[in-house]
Amino acid sequence: MFYRLGGLLALLGLLAAPAHAQLITDPARAAAARDTLLHQAAQLRLRAEQTSLNFNTNARGRYRRRVVVTGFSRQNSGTLPTAGVRQMQWVPDNVAWRHITRYRRNGRVMERYRLTMGHQTLLSERRLNGTIIWLSIPVAYSNAMGTAVRHRGLYLRTGYVMLDKDQYVLPKPLQ
């Protein structure tokens, strides 16, 4: 029981903001931080899907409520001359993506997308009816698939953005 409590306290300590961190409420800077995260996520997703060798799906029937599409990509590490013949050597970089789409009976479409390299998550995203409700880029820098990830961050649909170490609050839309 104590190890669970210790793990929970360690997790809360990691998630707690440092004493000097403050919420930035400037709408222009918050929108720029959100756009930076969304642009970086779109680049990662596009590059992963473009470099995929193939993909697998479970959508064999017409009326599936849960459709899972998985793919992986490999990059060419170069050529090795062997016995006078140039051969391509393919070394997997373990870049894999998984896109789960759930069609609910009430008409909602829930999507989850995860991009991983090895055992490290590069991108995690959730959508509801096509709008992003949660987006996470947990790594600070990775040269995965030729795309440089310069920022890490978190975006919540409720109006909170965390880019690197800065925390932003997006203005609420008028109703």
Side-chain angles (χ1 to χ4, degrees), residues 111-162:
E111 297 177 77
R112 288 187 313 177
Y113 186 84
R114 173 168 271 173
L115 177 67
T116 59
M117 184 170 72
H119 297 289
Q120 185 178 23
T121 301
L122 296 178
L123 172 66
S124 184
E125 178 179 15
R126 292 185 185 182
R127 292 178 181 253
L128 178 64
N129 293 335
T131 60
I132 297 175
I133 59 173
W134 185 75
L135 173 77
S136 172
I137 301 176
V139 294
Y141 180 79
S142 174
N143 198 5
M145 304 160 298
T147 304
V149 178
R150 293 182 181 90
H151 303 285
R152 68 181 186 101
L154 176 70
Y155 167 72
L156 302 172
R157 180 178 68 170
T158 55
Y160 297 99
V161 178
M162 188 169 71

Side-chain angles (χ1 to χ4, degrees), residues 6-118:
L8 180 63
L9 290 175
L11 180 65
L12 288 175
L14 288 175
L15 294 177
H20 66 278
Q22 293 182 355
L23 288 175
I24 300 171
T25 57
D26 183 22
R29 290 178 61 192
R34 178 197 61 203
D35 293 343
T36 300
L37 274 180
L38 294 179
H39 178 68
Q40 187 168 303
Q43 279 184 333
L44 276 172
R45 190 172 180 168
L46 179 68
R47 184 71 177 161
E49 292 174 358
Q50 282 179 346
T51 60
S52 291
L53 294 175
N54 62 355
F55 63 90
N56 299 324
T57 182
N58 71 341
R60 304 283 187 241
R62 284 185 70 185
Y63 300 106
R64 299 285 294 220
R65 294 226 178 256
R66 182 176 179 259
V67 177
V68 179
V69 180
T70 58
F72 68 95
S73 66
R74 294 182 181 178
Q75 294 181 356
N76 184 4
S77 66
T79 59
L80 289 178
T82 55
V85 179
R86 293 184 65 157
Q87 295 179 351
M88 301 296 283
Q89 178 190 15
W90 292 93
V91 177
D93 55 1
N94 298 329
V95 175
W97 53 271
R98 182 177 180 137
H99 186 185
I100 301 172
T101 306
R102 293 184 181 185
Y103 300 96
R104 300 290 185 188
R105 293 180 191 261
N106 60 4
R108 290 184 176 176
V109 179
M110 299 173 68
E111 297 177 77
R112 288 187 313 177
Y113 186 84
R114 173 168 271 173
L115 177 67
T116 59
M117 184 170 72

